[in-house]
Amino acid sequence: MLVDVMIENNIPDDVMQGDAMTYIIGGFHTIGNWLVFALHFVSMYPEVQDRMYQEVKKVLFDTGKVIPSNVAQLVYTRQVMEETLRMGLIAPYASRYDDENDVTLGGYVIPHGTPIIQALGVGYSDPSIWPNPDKFDPDRFSPEKVAERHPYSFQPFGFAGNRKCPGYRFAYAQVATVLANILLKFQVHHVDCFGVKAMYGIITTPEDEVWLTLTSRFDENKEE
Ligand code: HEM
């Protein structure tokens, strides 16, 4: 689809190649790790998992699958996904430099060519914004709580206008779809002997493999 749009718009071959590669790299590692951390947190907090399951069952009742018209109704699922981005620090920073002009920021002149790191994740553990920040609590992302916070307190996809992550809507839709499908069919359990240690980089990954076990919900779903 991306390639079709680029062909329709006469984008040169070398730009198409670059964009296709960027989308594959940008879209694969990010979404995979977001999902792994989400499933890990869900396995650690059965009450969160149960609430998600109830929501998914209700929203997918008619269609049995996530489609563009029902994905927005997965409100609690989205809260869990956002709390995962906060606690898991999936993309901890973005970076920039202006190679032509000096920039004045908060009264400081930043000479052109100076790399600037936007440490997106630093504020995610600030207790004045996120009380008890080490607790996994998806209710922080209820619509009411979000309305109370400054929008810049949580910008996991970057906030700099045109350069904000172009894949963020796709990422939300994809992760919500996979999570909803897994949770509708299975209960996800943490395996006690395996802890999860985060390794921070451009994208945060678990240091080792993450082990989970699944129990089928087939009988449970059949009875209802
Ligand atoms: C967990 C999911 C993802 C997270 C947390 C994430 C986060 C980010 C962040 C923080 C940036 C830097 C923004 C900035 O410089 O201001 C970025 C850029 C980018 N992302 Fe994502 N991203 C995710 C998924 C995706 C997906 C699914 C795609 C593509 C399908 C994608 C493609 C890109 C591209 C192409 C850029 C560079 C944009 C530019 O510099 O113009 N990302 N992303």
Side-chain angles (χ1 to χ4, degrees):
M1 200 174 142
L2 172 68
V3 175
D4 291 342
V5 172
M6 289 197 284
I7 292 173
E8 273 166 29
N9 287 283
N10 299 319
I11 304 291
D13 282 1
D14 57 336
V15 177
M16 278 215 285
Q17 257 176 26
D19 282 358
M21 284 300 289
T22 311
Y23 266 75
I24 290 167
I25 296 167
F28 178 76
H29 209 45
T30 47
I31 287 183
N33 283 295
W34 190 4
L35 266 171
V36 168
F37 278 101
L39 288 170
H40 162 65
F41 286 127
V42 158
S43 77
M44 298 290 290
Y45 296 87
E47 66 288 359
V48 168
Q49 184 172 165
D50 195 51
R51 233 172 114 182
M52 272 174 94
Y53 171 61
Q54 298 305 334
E55 176 181 82
V56 167
K57 213 168 44 161
K58 197 165 142 212
V59 172
L60 305 195
F61 180 75
D62 292 335
T63 57
K65 57 184 177 191
V66 181
I67 49 176
S69 60
N70 65 16
V71 71
Q73 293 167 39
L74 295 169
V75 176
Y76 187 67
T77 302
R78 190 181 169 114
Q79 289 176 215
V80 173
M81 288 161 55
E82 299 204 307
E83 180 65 341
T84 301
L85 288 173
R86 186 192 71 83
M87 283 273 289
L89 276 180
I90 308 298
Y93 63 88
S95 54
R96 289 280 178 288
Y97 74 89
D98 189 323
D99 50 9
E100 288 176 5
N101 304 304
D102 296 351
V103 178
T104 304
L105 258 187
Y108 295 93
V109 176
I110 302 181
H112 64 279
T114 307
I116 301 175
I117 300 291
Q118 299 170 326
L120 300 172
V122 166
Y124 296 174
S125 48
D126 180 340
S128 67
I129 306 173
W130 314 97
N132 200 359
D134 295 333
K135 181 168 185 262
F136 185 81
D137 178 8
D139 282 329
R140 299 176 198 281
F141 288 94
S142 67
E144 305 76 49
K145 285 272 189 287
V146 170
E148 284 168 14
R149 278 191 301 268
H150 192 287
Y152 283 172
S153 54
F154 184 71
Q155 290 292 336
F157 293 92
F159 52 86
N162 288 342
R163 304 309 291 262
K164 177 175 173 166
C165 174
Y168 81 99
R169 285 195 190 88
F170 174 65
Y172 270 114
Q174 198 174 351
V175 173
T177 305
V178 177
L179 282 178
N181 277 301
I182 292 178
L183 292 182
L184 186 63
K185 299 187 177 95
F186 301 100
Q187 239 178 323
V188 182
H189 310 280
H190 173 67
V191 180
D192 276 347
C193 54
F194 290 101
V196 173
K197 197 165 169 225
M199 211 165 62
Y200 300 104
I202 295 178
I203 295 297
T204 303
T205 59
E207 203 171 69
D208 287 310
E209 288 176 344
V210 174
W211 283 74
L212 301 165
T213 56
L214 304 181
T215 317
S216 172
R217 289 195 189 264
F218 182 74
D219 290 336
E220 199 177 332
N221 289 337
K222 207 170 55 176
E223 278 161 20
E224 285 167 13

